[in-house]
Amino acid sequence: MPHPYVLLSAAVSLDGYLDDTGPERLLLSGPADFDRVDEVRASVDAILVGAGTIRADNPRLLVNSPERRAARVARGASEYPLKVTVSGSGDLDPVALFWHTGGEKVLYTTDEGAGRARAHGLAADVVPLGPELDWRRLLEHLHAVRGVRRLMVEGGGLVHTQLLTQGLADELQLVLAPLFVGDPDAPRLFGPGSYQGGRLRLLETRAVGDVVLMRYEPTAPGTGGLPSAADHHWLALACDLADRCPPSRTAFSVGAVVVAADGTELARGHSREGGDPVVHAEEAALAKIDPTDPRLVTATVYSSLEPCARRASRPAPCSRLILDAGVRRVVTAWREPDTFVPGADGSGVLADGGATVVVLPEHEGRAQAPNRHLIDR
């Protein structure tokens, strides 16, 4: 199921700490960055912090600018974003500022924690997720029930670690402050975990007062049938590549990208690339990769349209080319209609060959856009 765009936001010292161990919260940012954070808050549908952050910092999590609040209302949004917290125990102080400032609040907890939270009389909608906390269920509920499309996560370190290691973070906005903490007992931004093996993609870097903002995007594909946030980024790129196809009334416009398990792009291609009137997107991309490349066996192919099961223009369809290359994971936006090949089922061919096929229907409209003249005829 779809879930919100998840933006992790944090400020750290030069040695990677979120705070020191003093009684007062360490202010890592300055006025210019606080204003930037206020602008980001105003742009999202919800802000999330973990229960530990509420206990340690007692945050209000408000949009402070009256002008930004007014702009939210003018575009039909609530004055303040929805405030969200997560607690397995449900044991939270009912007088914390989180519950008594801003707009609506929601607590996600366990079945056991829900009873405790309700007994405390927390001023929030209490949503139990089952015997244990489940981030995917939480995000799906936020999207489907609360209508959250953009979620800003402001801590703490455990929450950021869990979302990143589970492949659920779309973006990391990290501010680096020009100071050191040096206390091994102070909280760090990230803890140990199974992070992606490769490099994240740098989206932006800029000075904001005396701190530096760095925006990163995870790049590692998901595993098996569980999609990662990066799967959406790569599939969106495949859909963009479909726009580059020379127009045709006898074939679909498709884009494809092949990505290694560590998030390295191996190749990309699109239909009718290089003046070849019959080349398919997956075929064009795979042809650019050394067939002995060991990364292929753990790679993912992203295709805006389901890889073909049958074709007249080449001896082997794209589903067979993918299997022959050793790839065993495919992510697509759109199942092939019967426009040219009745009963097309490239996903079935791939599954029979031992590959996992993940369909992300959120991208279907984007994948269909350059093919609308074929669909509507």
Side-chain angles (χ1 to χ4, degrees):
M1 290 180 63
H3 59 72
Y5 184 95
V6 177
L7 183 161
L8 308 186
S9 176
V12 295
S13 64
L14 288 174
D15 49 348
Y17 289 96
L18 286 168
D19 200 353
D20 58 20
T21 55
E24 301 296 327
R25 182 186 175 193
L26 175 65
L27 296 181
L28 291 162
S29 298
D33 190 57
F34 290 139
D35 185 66
R36 179 196 65 82
V37 170
D38 196 65
E39 182 178 25
V40 178
R41 287 179 178 175
S43 73
V44 301
D45 303 305
I47 304 169
L48 182 149
V49 294
T53 297
I54 293 178
R55 297 183 186 109
D57 298 337
N58 197 22
R60 297 183 305 155
L61 300 178
L62 302 178
V63 175
N64 293 312
S65 164
E67 293 78 14
R68 289 173 182 144
R69 295 200 304 271
R72 286 179 58 86
V73 173
R75 66 175 185 263
S78 58
E79 183 179 10
Y80 294 99
L82 174 70
K83 294 202 295 190
V84 185
T85 190
V86 185
S87 170
S89 70
D91 189 12
L92 289 158
D93 186 351
V95 303
L97 294 175
F98 180 91
W99 314 110
H100 302 287
T101 56
E104 291 187 77
K105 296 92 183 173
V106 59
L107 164 66
Y108 287 97
T109 183
T110 60
D111 293 339
E112 181 180 347
R116 188 175 293 111
R118 290 175 179 134
H120 284 321
L122 298 180
D125 178 20
V126 178
V127 180
L129 296 173
E132 297 181 354
L133 293 176
D134 184 325
W135 279 109
R136 289 183 184 271
R137 285 192 62 194
L138 184 157
L139 294 174
E140 289 165 3
H141 187 276
L142 274 177
H143 188 279
V145 177
R146 286 292 188 161
V148 174
R149 299 298 179 264
R150 288 183 63 86
L151 173 67
M152 182 182 187
V153 180
E154 294 199 42
L158 178 60
V159 170
H160 283 151
T161 297
Q162 291 175 343
L163 288 168
L164 266 179
T165 56
Q166 293 182 36
L168 297 173
D170 292 274
E171 180 182 337
L172 171 61
Q173 292 191 1
L174 180 63
V175 163
L176 190 62
L179 54 83
F180 295 93
V181 172
D183 186 339
D185 294 326
R188 287 188 174 274
L189 174 56
F190 296 120
S194 301
Y195 297 96
Q196 76 165 75
R199 303 171 74 88
L200 280 68
R201 180 180 297 110
L202 179 64
L203 302 176
E204 179 190 9
T205 179
R206 61 183 164 99
V208 184
D210 70 343
V211 304
V212 176
L213 168 68
M214 296 169 288
R215 294 176 52 231
Y216 286 97
E217 178 182 85
T219 58
T223 56
L226 287 178
S228 71
D231 284 332
H232 291 274
H233 300 316
W234 289 116
L235 187 56
L237 172 58
C239 293
D240 290 342
L241 291 170
D243 280 335
R244 301 185 185 183
C245 302
S248 172
R249 298 200 63 82
T250 59
F252 290 112
S253 293
V254 182
V257 190
V258 185
V259 181
D262 67 354
T264 301
E265 180 181 330
L266 300 180
R268 62 177 69 182
H270 59 79
S271 305
R272 300 176 291 283
E273 182 177 326
D276 185 336
V278 297
V279 72
H280 286 196
E282 304 92 332
E283 176 186 17
L286 288 169
K288 299 169 186 173
I289 307 172
D290 182 344
T292 64
D293 192 325
R295 295 173 294 180
L296 280 168
V297 295
T298 54
T300 295
V301 168
Y302 297 89
S303 181
S304 60
L305 175 65
E306 173 187 54
C308 62
R310 300 190 301 277
R311 63 189 293 192
S313 58
R314 291 281 198 268
C318 290
S319 53
R320 176 50 53 191
L321 293 176
I322 290 169
L323 292 172
D324 289 348
V327 176
R328 292 298 180 266
R329 187 170 187 268
V330 176
V331 178
T332 185
W334 178 33
R335 297 294 297 272
E336 183 177 355
D338 292 344
T339 307
F340 301 115
V341 181
D345 185 19
S347 295
V349 174
L350 289 163
D352 289 344
T356 298
V357 179
V358 180
V359 181
L360 300 180
E362 307 96 298
H363 300 269
E364 182 177 289
R366 183 70 186 84
Q368 290 179 345
N371 298 286
R372 188 57 61 187
H373 63 292
L374 300 173
I375 301 169
D376 296 340
R377 71 182 187 181

PDB file of all heavy atoms in Angstrom, residues 114-148:
ATOM      1  N   ALA A 114      -1.898   0.726  24.060  1.00  0.00           N
ATOM      2  CA  ALA A 114      -3.106   1.520  23.835  1.00  0.00           C
ATOM      3  C   ALA A 114      -3.928   1.631  25.115  1.00  0.00           C
ATOM      4  O   ALA A 114      -4.464   2.706  25.440  1.00  0.00           O
ATOM      5  CB  ALA A 114      -3.937   0.897  22.718  1.00  0.00           C
ATOM      6  N   GLY A 115      -4.036   0.538  25.848  1.00  0.00           N
ATOM      7  CA  GLY A 115      -4.777   0.586  27.103  1.00  0.00           C
ATOM      8  C   GLY A 115      -4.143   1.524  28.097  1.00  0.00           C
ATOM      9  O   GLY A 115      -4.829   2.299  28.789  1.00  0.00           O
ATOM     10  N   ARG A 116      -2.820   1.493  28.169  1.00  0.00           N
ATOM     11  CA  ARG A 116      -2.105   2.372  29.109  1.00  0.00           C
ATOM     12  C   ARG A 116      -2.261   3.836  28.697  1.00  0.00           C
ATOM     13  O   ARG A 116      -2.478   4.718  29.542  1.00  0.00           O
ATOM     14  CB  ARG A 116      -0.634   1.975  29.152  1.00  0.00           C
ATOM     15  CG  ARG A 116       0.167   2.682  30.242  1.00  0.00           C
ATOM     16  CD  ARG A 116       1.590   2.166  30.333  1.00  0.00           C
ATOM     17  NE  ARG A 116       1.630   0.779  30.809  1.00  0.00           N
ATOM     18  CZ  ARG A 116       1.987  -0.256  30.054  1.00  0.00           C
ATOM     19  NH1 ARG A 116       2.329  -0.066  28.776  1.00  0.00           N
ATOM     20  NH2 ARG A 116       2.001  -1.464  30.566  1.00  0.00           N
ATOM     21  N   ALA A 117      -2.161   4.099  27.397  1.00  0.00           N
ATOM     22  CA  ALA A 117      -2.278   5.477  26.913  1.00  0.00           C
ATOM     23  C   ALA A 117      -3.668   6.037  27.184  1.00  0.00           C
ATOM     24  O   ALA A 117      -3.820   7.197  27.594  1.00  0.00           O
ATOM     25  CB  ALA A 117      -1.970   5.522  25.414  1.00  0.00           C
ATOM     26  N   ARG A 118      -4.687   5.223  26.964  1.00  0.00           N
ATOM     27  CA  ARG A 118      -6.056   5.690  27.215  1.00  0.00           C
ATOM     28  C   ARG A 118      -6.294   5.918  28.699  1.00  0.00           C
ATOM     29  O   ARG A 118      -7.015   6.836  29.092  1.00  0.00           O
ATOM     30  CB  ARG A 118      -7.044   4.691  26.629  1.00  0.00           C
ATOM     31  CG  ARG A 118      -7.044   4.695  25.094  1.00  0.00           C
ATOM     32  CD  ARG A 118      -7.929   3.624  24.509  1.00  0.00           C
ATOM     33  NE  ARG A 118      -7.916   3.679  23.043  1.00  0.00           N
ATOM     34  CZ  ARG A 118      -7.779   2.632  22.258  1.00  0.00           C
ATOM     35  NH1 ARG A 118      -7.634   1.407  22.794  1.00  0.00           N
ATOM     36  NH2 ARG A 118      -7.773   2.766  20.944  1.00  0.00           N
ATOM     37  N   ALA A 119      -5.672   5.081  29.536  1.00  0.00           N
ATOM     38  CA  ALA A 119      -5.805   5.266  30.975  1.00  0.00           C
ATOM     39  C   ALA A 119      -5.165   6.577  31.434  1.00  0.00           C
ATOM     40  O   ALA A 119      -5.634   7.214  32.387  1.00  0.00           O
ATOM     41  CB  ALA A 119      -5.172   4.090  31.713  1.00  0.00           C
ATOM     42  N   HIS A 120      -4.101   6.997  30.734  1.00  0.00           N
ATOM     43  CA  HIS A 120      -3.453   8.273  31.048  1.00  0.00           C
ATOM     44  C   HIS A 120      -4.289   9.463  30.589  1.00  0.00           C
ATOM     45  O   HIS A 120      -4.010  10.605  30.981  1.00  0.00           O
ATOM     46  CB  HIS A 120      -2.080   8.358  30.377  1.00  0.00           C
ATOM     47  CG  HIS A 120      -1.013   7.536  31.044  1.00  0.00           C
ATOM     48  ND1 HIS A 120      -0.909   7.413  32.406  1.00  0.00           N
ATOM     49  CD2 HIS A 120       0.012   6.802  30.523  1.00  0.00           C
ATOM     50  CE1 HIS A 120       0.123   6.638  32.714  1.00  0.00           C
ATOM     51  NE2 HIS A 120       0.693   6.244  31.580  1.00  0.00           N
ATOM     52  N   GLY A 121      -5.261   9.230  29.721  1.00  0.00           N
ATOM     53  CA  GLY A 121      -6.091  10.322  29.224  1.00  0.00           C
ATOM     54  C   GLY A 121      -5.371  11.237  28.256  1.00  0.00           C
ATOM     55  O   GLY A 121      -5.605  12.451  28.238  1.00  0.00           O
ATOM     56  N   LEU A 122      -4.500  10.666  27.424  1.00  0.00           N
ATOM     57  CA  LEU A 122      -3.750  11.484  26.463  1.00  0.00           C
ATOM     58  C   LEU A 122      -4.692  12.158  25.472  1.00  0.00           C
ATOM     59  O   LEU A 122      -5.628  11.538  24.971  1.00  0.00           O
ATOM     60  CB  LEU A 122      -2.747  10.608  25.709  1.00  0.00           C
ATOM     61  CG  LEU A 122      -1.666   9.923  26.547  1.00  0.00           C
ATOM     62  CD1 LEU A 122      -0.754   9.089  25.652  1.00  0.00           C
ATOM     63  CD2 LEU A 122      -0.845  10.949  27.333  1.00  0.00           C
ATOM     64  N   ALA A 123      -4.410  13.419  25.190  1.00  0.00           N
ATOM     65  CA  ALA A 123      -5.249  14.196  24.272  1.00  0.00           C
ATOM     66  C   ALA A 123      -4.857  13.889  22.831  1.00  0.00           C
ATOM     67  O   ALA A 123      -4.291  14.714  22.119  1.00  0.00           O
ATOM     68  CB  ALA A 123      -5.095  15.684  24.571  1.00  0.00           C
ATOM     69  N   ALA A 124      -5.150  12.666  22.406  1.00  0.00           N
ATOM     70  CA  ALA A 124      -4.739  12.234  21.077  1.00  0.00           C
ATOM     71  C   ALA A 124      -5.602  11.064  20.630  1.00  0.00           C
ATOM     72  O   ALA A 124      -6.224  10.369  21.447  1.00  0.00           O
ATOM     73  CB  ALA A 124      -3.265  11.807  21.084  1.00  0.00           C
ATOM     74  N   ASP A 125      -5.626  10.850  19.330  1.00  0.00           N
ATOM     75  CA  ASP A 125      -6.205   9.640  18.770  1.00  0.00           C
ATOM     76  C   ASP A 125      -5.194   8.515  18.992  1.00  0.00           C
ATOM     77  O   ASP A 125      -4.043   8.622  18.558  1.00  0.00           O
ATOM     78  CB  ASP A 125      -6.470   9.848  17.277  1.00  0.00           C
ATOM     79  CG  ASP A 125      -7.028   8.614  16.589  1.00  0.00           C
ATOM     80  OD1 ASP A 125      -7.564   7.738  17.287  1.00  0.00           O
ATOM     81  OD2 ASP A 125      -6.922   8.550  15.349  1.00  0.00           O
ATOM     82  N   VAL A 126      -5.595   7.458  19.676  1.00  0.00           N
ATOM     83  CA  VAL A 126      -4.692   6.349  19.993  1.00  0.00           C
ATOM     84  C   VAL A 126      -4.950   5.212  19.009  1.00  0.00           C
ATOM     85  O   VAL A 126      -6.073   4.700  18.925  1.00  0.00           O
ATOM     86  CB  VAL A 126      -4.890   5.866  21.435  1.00  0.00           C
ATOM     87  CG1 VAL A 126      -3.978   4.671  21.725  1.00  0.00           C
ATOM     88  CG2 VAL A 126      -4.616   7.008  22.413  1.00  0.00           C
ATOM     89  N   VAL A 127      -3.900   4.829  18.258  1.00  0.00           N
ATOM     90  CA  VAL A 127      -4.044   3.804  17.223  1.00  0.00           C
ATOM     91  C   VAL A 127      -3.140   2.623  17.562  1.00  0.00           C
ATOM     92  O   VAL A 127      -1.914   2.721  17.467  1.00  0.00           O
ATOM     93  CB  VAL A 127      -3.675   4.351  15.835  1.00  0.00           C
ATOM     94  CG1 VAL A 127      -3.827   3.262  14.772  1.00  0.00           C
ATOM     95  CG2 VAL A 127      -4.534   5.564  15.487  1.00  0.00           C
ATOM     96  N   PRO A 128      -3.714   1.476  17.971  1.00  0.00           N
ATOM     97  CA  PRO A 128      -2.888   0.285  18.211  1.00  0.00           C
ATOM     98  C   PRO A 128      -2.520  -0.393  16.898  1.00  0.00           C
ATOM     99  O   PRO A 128      -3.343  -0.483  15.983  1.00  0.00           O
ATOM    100  CB  PRO A 128      -3.802  -0.605  19.062  1.00  0.00           C
ATOM    101  CG  PRO A 128      -5.189  -0.189  18.701  1.00  0.00           C
ATOM    102  CD  PRO A 128      -5.125   1.266  18.335  1.00  0.00           C
ATOM    103  N   LEU A 129      -1.282  -0.856  16.803  1.00  0.00           N
ATOM    104  CA  LEU A 129      -0.779  -1.481  15.583  1.00  0.00           C
ATOM    105  C   LEU A 129      -0.639  -2.995  15.713  1.00  0.00           C
ATOM    106  O   LEU A 129      -0.175  -3.647  14.784  1.00  0.00           O
ATOM    107  CB  LEU A 129       0.579  -0.881  15.204  1.00  0.00           C
ATOM    108  CG  LEU A 129       0.575   0.602  14.831  1.00  0.00           C
ATOM    109  CD1 LEU A 129       1.993   1.107  14.650  1.00  0.00           C
ATOM    110  CD2 LEU A 129      -0.238   0.843  13.564  1.00  0.00           C
ATOM    111  N   GLY A 130      -1.034  -3.555  16.854  1.00  0.00           N
ATOM    112  CA  GLY A 130      -0.875  -4.984  17.061  1.00  0.00           C
ATOM    113  C   GLY A 130       0.017  -5.256  18.258  1.00  0.00           C
ATOM    114  O   GLY A 130       0.288  -4.364  19.073  1.00  0.00           O
ATOM    115  N   PRO A 131       0.521  -6.481  18.386  1.00  0.00           N
ATOM    116  CA  PRO A 131       1.363  -6.818  19.534  1.00  0.00           C
ATOM    117  C   PRO A 131       2.703  -6.091  19.530  1.00  0.00           C
ATOM    118  O   PRO A 131       3.330  -5.934  20.580  1.00  0.00           O
ATOM    119  CB  PRO A 131       1.550  -8.328  19.407  1.00  0.00           C
ATOM    120  CG  PRO A 131       1.265  -8.642  17.973  1.00  0.00           C
ATOM    121  CD  PRO A 131       0.248  -7.653  17.524  1.00  0.00           C
ATOM    122  N   GLU A 132       3.169  -5.659  18.366  1.00  0.00           N
ATOM    123  CA  GLU A 132       4.435  -4.927  18.263  1.00  0.00           C
ATOM    124  C   GLU A 132       4.261  -3.733  17.333  1.00  0.00           C
ATOM    125  O   GLU A 132       3.344  -3.700  16.501  1.00  0.00           O
ATOM    126  CB  GLU A 132       5.547  -5.842  17.725  1.00  0.00           C
ATOM    127  CG  GLU A 132       5.875  -7.017  18.637  1.00  0.00           C
ATOM    128  CD  GLU A 132       6.988  -7.867  18.073  1.00  0.00           C
ATOM    129  OE1 GLU A 132       7.412  -7.609  16.935  1.00  0.00           O
ATOM    130  OE2 GLU A 132       7.438  -8.790  18.776  1.00  0.00           O
ATOM    131  N   LEU A 133       5.162  -2.765  17.457  1.00  0.00           N
ATOM    132  CA  LEU A 133       5.147  -1.624  16.537  1.00  0.00           C
ATOM    133  C   LEU A 133       5.563  -2.073  15.149  1.00  0.00           C
ATOM    134  O   LEU A 133       6.492  -2.876  14.994  1.00  0.00           O
ATOM    135  CB  LEU A 133       6.090  -0.530  17.035  1.00  0.00           C
ATOM    136  CG  LEU A 133       5.686   0.170  18.333  1.00  0.00           C
ATOM    137  CD1 LEU A 133       6.770   1.154  18.757  1.00  0.00           C
ATOM    138  CD2 LEU A 133       4.361   0.902  18.164  1.00  0.00           C
ATOM    139  N   ASP A 134       4.898  -1.568  14.151  1.00  0.00           N
ATOM    140  CA  ASP A 134       5.165  -1.934  12.760  1.00  0.00           C
ATOM    141  C   ASP A 134       5.180  -0.654  11.948  1.00  0.00           C
ATOM    142  O   ASP A 134       4.137  -0.035  11.718  1.00  0.00           O
ATOM    143  CB  ASP A 134       4.071  -2.888  12.261  1.00  0.00           C
ATOM    144  CG  ASP A 134       4.314  -3.398  10.844  1.00  0.00           C
ATOM    145  OD1 ASP A 134       4.844  -2.630  10.013  1.00  0.00           O
ATOM    146  OD2 ASP A 134       3.962  -4.559  10.578  1.00  0.00           O
ATOM    147  N   TRP A 135       6.373  -0.232  11.495  1.00  0.00           N
ATOM    148  CA  TRP A 135       6.498   1.032  10.782  1.00  0.00           C
ATOM    149  C   TRP A 135       5.739   1.041   9.465  1.00  0.00           C
ATOM    150  O   TRP A 135       5.167   2.072   9.075  1.00  0.00           O
ATOM    151  CB  TRP A 135       7.971   1.359  10.543  1.00  0.00           C
ATOM    152  CG  TRP A 135       8.644   1.960  11.735  1.00  0.00           C
ATOM    153  CD1 TRP A 135       9.571   1.387  12.545  1.00  0.00           C
ATOM    154  CD2 TRP A 135       8.419   3.281  12.263  1.00  0.00           C
ATOM    155  NE1 TRP A 135       9.947   2.248  13.545  1.00  0.00           N
ATOM    156  CE2 TRP A 135       9.264   3.412  13.397  1.00  0.00           C
ATOM    157  CE3 TRP A 135       7.597   4.342  11.894  1.00  0.00           C
ATOM    158  CZ2 TRP A 135       9.298   4.591  14.155  1.00  0.00           C
ATOM    159  CZ3 TRP A 135       7.631   5.501  12.653  1.00  0.00           C
ATOM    160  CH2 TRP A 135       8.471   5.619  13.766  1.00  0.00           C
ATOM    161  N   ARG A 136       5.722  -0.067   8.752  1.00  0.00           N
ATOM    162  CA  ARG A 136       4.988  -0.089   7.477  1.00  0.00           C
ATOM    163  C   ARG A 136       3.488   0.100   7.707  1.00  0.00           C
ATOM    164  O   ARG A 136       2.832   0.858   6.982  1.00  0.00           O
ATOM    165  CB  ARG A 136       5.271  -1.387   6.716  1.00  0.00           C
ATOM    166  CG  ARG A 136       6.683  -1.444   6.163  1.00  0.00           C
ATOM    167  CD  ARG A 136       6.939  -2.698   5.339  1.00  0.00           C
ATOM    168  NE  ARG A 136       8.322  -2.743   4.917  1.00  0.00           N
ATOM    169  CZ  ARG A 136       8.793  -2.204   3.780  1.00  0.00           C
ATOM    170  NH1 ARG A 136       7.957  -1.609   2.949  1.00  0.00           N
ATOM    171  NH2 ARG A 136      10.069  -2.279   3.478  1.00  0.00           N
ATOM    172  N   ARG A 137       2.944  -0.580   8.680  1.00  0.00           N
ATOM    173  CA  ARG A 137       1.527  -0.405   8.986  1.00  0.00           C
ATOM    174  C   ARG A 137       1.245   1.025   9.428  1.00  0.00           C
ATOM    175  O   ARG A 137       0.213   1.614   9.068  1.00  0.00           O
ATOM    176  CB  ARG A 137       1.091  -1.375  10.088  1.00  0.00           C
ATOM    177  CG  ARG A 137       0.937  -2.813   9.633  1.00  0.00           C
ATOM    178  CD  ARG A 137       0.239  -3.644  10.696  1.00  0.00           C
ATOM    179  NE  ARG A 137      -1.111  -3.143  10.964  1.00  0.00           N
ATOM    180  CZ  ARG A 137      -1.838  -3.504  12.008  1.00  0.00           C
ATOM    181  NH1 ARG A 137      -1.348  -4.344  12.912  1.00  0.00           N
ATOM    182  NH2 ARG A 137      -3.062  -3.025  12.174  1.00  0.00           N
ATOM    183  N   LEU A 138       2.147   1.598  10.218  1.00  0.00           N
ATOM    184  CA  LEU A 138       1.979   2.979  10.673  1.00  0.00           C
ATOM    185  C   LEU A 138       1.923   3.931   9.485  1.00  0.00           C
ATOM    186  O   LEU A 138       1.020   4.774   9.380  1.00  0.00           O
ATOM    187  CB  LEU A 138       3.126   3.341  11.617  1.00  0.00           C
ATOM    188  CG  LEU A 138       3.122   4.707  12.307  1.00  0.00           C
ATOM    189  CD1 LEU A 138       3.984   4.654  13.567  1.00  0.00           C
ATOM    190  CD2 LEU A 138       3.646   5.822  11.399  1.00  0.00           C
ATOM    191  N   LEU A 139       2.868   3.804   8.574  1.00  0.00           N
ATOM    192  CA  LEU A 139       2.920   4.705   7.426  1.00  0.00           C
ATOM    193  C   LEU A 139       1.722   4.509   6.506  1.00  0.00           C
ATOM    194  O   LEU A 139       1.166   5.481   5.964  1.00  0.00           O
ATOM    195  CB  LEU A 139       4.225   4.497   6.663  1.00  0.00           C
ATOM    196  CG  LEU A 139       5.505   4.894   7.421  1.00  0.00           C
ATOM    197  CD1 LEU A 139       6.736   4.494   6.622  1.00  0.00           C
ATOM    198  CD2 LEU A 139       5.527   6.382   7.739  1.00  0.00           C
ATOM    199  N   GLU A 140       1.314   3.269   6.318  1.00  0.00           N
ATOM    200  CA  GLU A 140       0.143   3.003   5.483  1.00  0.00           C
ATOM    201  C   GLU A 140      -1.112   3.605   6.096  1.00  0.00           C
ATOM    202  O   GLU A 140      -1.964   4.163   5.394  1.00  0.00           O
ATOM    203  CB  GLU A 140      -0.021   1.501   5.280  1.00  0.00           C
ATOM    204  CG  GLU A 140       1.044   0.886   4.382  1.00  0.00           C
ATOM    205  CD  GLU A 140       1.103  -0.621   4.470  1.00  0.00           C
ATOM    206  OE1 GLU A 140       0.272  -1.225   5.191  1.00  0.00           O
ATOM    207  OE2 GLU A 140       1.982  -1.219   3.813  1.00  0.00           O
ATOM    208  N   HIS A 141      -1.237   3.514   7.431  1.00  0.00           N
ATOM    209  CA  HIS A 141      -2.390   4.094   8.112  1.00  0.00           C
ATOM    210  C   HIS A 141      -2.376   5.616   7.987  1.00  0.00           C
ATOM    211  O   HIS A 141      -3.426   6.245   7.731  1.00  0.00           O
ATOM    212  CB  HIS A 141      -2.386   3.676   9.591  1.00  0.00           C
ATOM    213  CG  HIS A 141      -3.622   4.080  10.343  1.00  0.00           C
ATOM    214  ND1 HIS A 141      -3.780   5.331  10.900  1.00  0.00           N
ATOM    215  CD2 HIS A 141      -4.771   3.397  10.620  1.00  0.00           C
ATOM    216  CE1 HIS A 141      -4.955   5.413  11.496  1.00  0.00           C
ATOM    217  NE2 HIS A 141      -5.576   4.251  11.343  1.00  0.00           N
ATOM    218  N   LEU A 142      -1.218   6.230   8.170  1.00  0.00           N
ATOM    219  CA  LEU A 142      -1.126   7.681   8.017  1.00  0.00           C
ATOM    220  C   LEU A 142      -1.573   8.123   6.632  1.00  0.00           C
ATOM    221  O   LEU A 142      -2.277   9.130   6.468  1.00  0.00           O
ATOM    222  CB  LEU A 142       0.312   8.149   8.263  1.00  0.00           C
ATOM    223  CG  LEU A 142       0.737   8.442   9.698  1.00  0.00           C
ATOM    224  CD1 LEU A 142       2.200   8.822   9.738  1.00  0.00           C
ATOM    225  CD2 LEU A 142      -0.123   9.538  10.324  1.00  0.00           C
ATOM    226  N   HIS A 143      -1.176   7.366   5.623  1.00  0.00           N
ATOM    227  CA  HIS A 143      -1.515   7.716   4.243  1.00  0.00           C
ATOM    228  C   HIS A 143      -2.992   7.487   3.959  1.00  0.00           C
ATOM    229  O   HIS A 143      -3.695   8.369   3.438  1.00  0.00           O
ATOM    230  CB  HIS A 143      -0.648   6.895   3.276  1.00  0.00           C
ATOM    231  CG  HIS A 143      -0.773   7.311   1.840  1.00  0.00           C
ATOM    232  ND1 HIS A 143      -1.817   6.906   1.039  1.00  0.00           N
ATOM    233  CD2 HIS A 143       0.036   8.079   1.057  1.00  0.00           C
ATOM    234  CE1 HIS A 143      -1.650   7.403  -0.178  1.00  0.00           C
ATOM    235  NE2 HIS A 143      -0.546   8.124  -0.194  1.00  0.00           N
ATOM    236  N   ALA A 144      -3.487   6.296   4.294  1.00  0.00           N
ATOM    237  CA  ALA A 144      -4.841   5.910   3.906  1.00  0.00           C
ATOM    238  C   ALA A 144      -5.917   6.553   4.763  1.00  0.00           C
ATOM    239  O   ALA A 144      -6.977   6.949   4.254  1.00  0.00           O
ATOM    240  CB  ALA A 144      -4.969   4.379   3.967  1.00  0.00           C
ATOM    241  N   VAL A 145      -5.678   6.655   6.069  1.00  0.00           N
ATOM    242  CA  VAL A 145      -6.707   7.126   6.988  1.00  0.00           C
ATOM    243  C   VAL A 145      -6.565   8.615   7.285  1.00  0.00           C
ATOM    244  O   VAL A 145      -7.564   9.343   7.359  1.00  0.00           O
ATOM    245  CB  VAL A 145      -6.668   6.309   8.300  1.00  0.00           C
ATOM    246  CG1 VAL A 145      -7.696   6.828   9.294  1.00  0.00           C
ATOM    247  CG2 VAL A 145      -6.916   4.830   7.999  1.00  0.00           C
ATOM    248  N   ARG A 146      -5.354   9.071   7.426  1.00  0.00           N
ATOM    249  CA  ARG A 146      -5.110  10.469   7.785  1.00  0.00           C
ATOM    250  C   ARG A 146      -4.786  11.354   6.592  1.00  0.00           C
ATOM    251  O   ARG A 146      -4.659  12.570   6.731  1.00  0.00           O
ATOM    252  CB  ARG A 146      -3.981  10.549   8.805  1.00  0.00           C
ATOM    253  CG  ARG A 146      -4.377  10.106  10.208  1.00  0.00           C
ATOM    254  CD  ARG A 146      -5.347  11.087  10.812  1.00  0.00           C
ATOM    255  NE  ARG A 146      -5.626  10.844  12.211  1.00  0.00           N
ATOM    256  CZ  ARG A 146      -6.134  11.762  13.024  1.00  0.00           C
ATOM    257  NH1 ARG A 146      -6.382  12.975  12.574  1.00  0.00           N
ATOM    258  NH2 ARG A 146      -6.394  11.476  14.282  1.00  0.00           N
ATOM    259  N   GLY A 147      -4.615  10.769   5.421  1.00  0.00           N
ATOM    260  CA  GLY A 147      -4.356  11.557   4.224  1.00  0.00           C
ATOM    261  C   GLY A 147      -3.006  12.228   4.197  1.00  0.00           C
ATOM    262  O   GLY A 147      -2.820  13.238   3.501  1.00  0.00           O
ATOM    263  N   VAL A 148      -2.034  11.679   4.915  1.00  0.00           N
ATOM    264  CA  VAL A 148      -0.696  12.288   4.977  1.00  0.00           C
ATOM    265  C   VAL A 148       0.093  11.899   3.732  1.00  0.00           C
ATOM    266  O   VAL A 148       0.288  10.718   3.457  1.00  0.00           O
ATOM    267  CB  VAL A 148       0.047  11.842   6.252  1.00  0.00           C
ATOM    268  CG1 VAL A 148       1.488  12.344   6.246  1.00  0.00           C
ATOM    269  CG2 VAL A 148      -0.689  12.345   7.492  1.00  0.00           C
TER     270      VAL A 148
END
